[in-house]
């Protein structure tokens, strides 16, 4: 249970960091998750900025819990903070690339911003 709680906390921290990076590097518009909500709910993505942000946080928190439970299941150890951070960083990058390739391009139909 402690690993799930640690994963949830890690997911919150990672999502906050990612959200700040998205806001700094973004175009000032709503997050891509708002576009996802708008696609299924109908309407303008600007109307779904807060629900989109909530969806982004839910996704990040659940992803953190999956990481904390899944890493030991594949035989890796999170015994040190350095290893946990390193594996978490790799996991986060994989999720980000997967999100850009699948969710943004295939589901929402938008291109990620090139920086």
């Amino acid at each position: 249970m402690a690993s799930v709680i640690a994963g949830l906390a890690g997911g919150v921290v990672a999502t906050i960091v990612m959200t700040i990076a998205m806001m700094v590097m973004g175009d000032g518009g709503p997050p891509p998750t708002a576009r996802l909500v708008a696609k299924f709910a109908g309407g303008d993505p600007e109307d779904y900025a807060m629900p989109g942000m909530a969806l982004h946080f839910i996704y990040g928190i659940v992803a953190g819990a999956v990481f904390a439970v899944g890493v030991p299941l594949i035989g890796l150890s999170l015994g040190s903070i350095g290893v946990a951070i390193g594996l978490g960083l790799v996991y986060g990058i994989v999720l980000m690339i997967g999100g850009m390739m699948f969710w943004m391009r295939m589901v929402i139909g938008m291109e990620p911003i090139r920086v």
Side-chain angles (χ1 to χ4, degrees):
M1 185 64 174
S3 63
V4 173
I5 293 171
L8 293 170
V12 168
V13 171
T15 303
I16 290 170
V17 170
M18 185 63 191
T19 302
I20 292 169
M22 284 174 34
M23 293 172 101
V24 169
M25 294 174 18
D27 60 0
T33 46
R35 287 179 171 75
L36 180 65
V37 173
K39 179 174 180 144
F40 291 102
D44 186 46
E46 296 282 339
D47 298 334
Y48 297 103
M50 289 310 292
M53 194 58 70
L55 179 62
H56 179 71
F57 269 87
I58 290 167
Y59 169 74
I61 292 166
V62 170
V66 168
F67 173 77
V69 172
V71 168
L73 290 177
I74 62 170
L76 298 174
S77 172
L78 296 174
S80 75
I81 190 75
V83 170
I85 289 172
L87 289 173
L89 185 60
V90 169
Y91 177 70
I93 290 170
V94 168
L95 288 178
M96 182 179 68
I97 292 169
M100 288 188 300
M101 298 301 290
F102 178 73
W103 289 107
M104 287 180 79
R105 286 188 173 162
M106 298 175 105
V107 176
I108 303 172
M110 66 183 281
E111 284 294 316
I113 298 171
R114 298 186 190 275
V115 199

